[in-house]
Amino acid sequence: MIDLYTAATPNGHKISIALEELALPYSLQVLDLSKGQQKTPTFLAINPNGRIPAIVDRDEGDFAVFESGAILIYLAEKTGRLMPTDMKGRSRVIQWLMFQMGGIGPMMGQANVFHRYFPEKIQSVIDRYQGESKRLFRVLDGHLKDHEYLAGDYSIADIANWAWVRTHRWSGVEMDDLPNLKRWLDAIRARPAVLRGIQMPPSSLDLRTDDAEQAKAFAEGARKMLETGQSRK
């Protein structure tokens, strides 16, 4: 049994999707980030950085793993699935996983902060992060023109990138001109395990609608988390 400490964020959903795809039994431990539950001594003993997601593998002597990319690699290697075992195949998956960890996630995350959460709208900064997110989307689109998935067969690299790219509208980045990326996005969304994974836990924001009131309430909650929850030690 694996205990998953998580919240309804792209990084959290990476792990619930992987657990669903791998059919691994897990218990869901949802943390309220706005209340600083990720900063409690109990959770900090699991992840000293005080961020979700994290897992505790009860079948391996309560072994704790934090950082979403590290968790994905751990789960893939634990099961022998969602990542090749040969050197080159494994490297291809990790390269595209790192593309998400070092590029897609940070750039879209900052786009969210400045486009949605900061009370002051600094347009040059918004343009910077939305523009870089779109550039990274074009990289994905170009690669997917000749590849069904990012690194051979469907893998943890697809899960990691998909969990973020699917939130593109919240970041203010459109992808109507990226047909290969859209094809890939829709194909992964159709997987039953993926649909289950993004409900573990469900988000209070429906990313497929333009409900202004819902978006405002969600942004206010996220702003509160940034101003209070994330600053707690």
Side-chain angles (χ1 to χ4, degrees):
M1 174 66 75
I2 289 175
D3 294 341
L4 169 59
Y5 295 83
T6 191
T9 72
N11 285 335
H13 284 150
K14 290 182 203 174
I15 310 307
S16 52
I17 290 170
L19 287 166
E20 291 289 339
E21 289 280 13
L22 295 168
L24 286 170
Y26 68 99
S27 66
L28 200 64
Q29 311 293 329
V30 181
L31 303 186
D32 188 332
L33 305 185
S34 67
K35 293 181 179 179
Q37 291 180 348
Q38 74 279 24
K39 302 297 184 180
T40 63
T42 299
F43 185 69
L44 289 173
I46 297 169
N47 180 1
N49 195 34
R51 297 289 191 272
I52 62 94
I55 64 169
V56 175
D57 190 343
R58 300 300 181 190
D59 297 331
E60 296 293 337
D62 296 346
F63 183 65
V65 187
F66 64 91
E67 288 296 325
S68 60
I71 298 170
L72 288 172
I73 293 171
Y74 176 83
L75 294 174
E77 293 183 337
K78 175 183 175 72
T79 59
R81 296 175 55 200
L82 296 179
M83 184 166 65
T85 56
D86 67 285
M87 182 179 69
K88 291 181 179 179
R90 184 176 184 274
S91 178
R92 290 187 187 97
V93 168
I94 292 177
Q95 288 173 57
W96 285 107
L97 174 61
M98 294 303 108
F99 177 85
Q100 183 278 304
M101 297 291 294
I104 290 285
M107 293 301 104
M108 291 184 71
Q110 291 302 313
N112 292 345
V113 167
F114 289 101
H115 175 56
R116 296 285 186 178
Y117 307 148
F118 265 30
E120 301 85 13
K121 300 303 178 187
I122 308 171
Q123 194 58 48
S124 59
V125 177
I126 294 171
D127 292 345
R128 151 67 180 160
Y129 289 114
Q130 289 180 339
E132 180 61 8
S133 297
K134 186 61 178 278
R135 185 191 72 79
L136 294 169
F137 282 13
R138 292 192 187 100
V139 173
L140 290 172
D141 185 72
H143 181 72
L144 290 165
K145 180 180 179 181
D146 299 313
H147 300 84
E148 183 178 7
Y149 297 111
L150 290 176
D153 294 334
Y154 177 70
S155 71
I156 57 173
D158 296 290
I159 291 172
N161 281 277
W162 185 88
W164 274 94
V165 173
R166 82 178 191 96
T167 69
H168 67 98
R169 293 178 67 185
W170 186 248
S171 302
V173 183
E174 293 302 324
M175 50 180 287
D176 292 343
D177 58 335
L178 303 175
N180 307 302
L181 185 60
K182 186 176 185 303
R183 184 269 306 162
W184 170 86
L185 193 73
D186 292 343
I188 294 176
R189 188 190 302 278
R191 297 177 68 91
V194 170
L195 293 176
R196 292 193 301 271
I198 59 176
Q199 294 300 312
M200 298 295 176
S203 174
S204 60
L205 178 68
D206 187 347
L207 295 167
R208 293 169 295 181
T209 69
D210 291 311
D211 188 318
E213 289 302 314
Q214 183 191 62
K216 180 180 178 181
F218 185 90
E220 288 175 352
R223 185 179 304 120
K224 179 182 177 183
M225 182 269 289
L226 289 170
E227 293 172 350
T228 60
Q230 294 291 356
S231 64
R232 296 175 183 173
K233 297 181 180 179

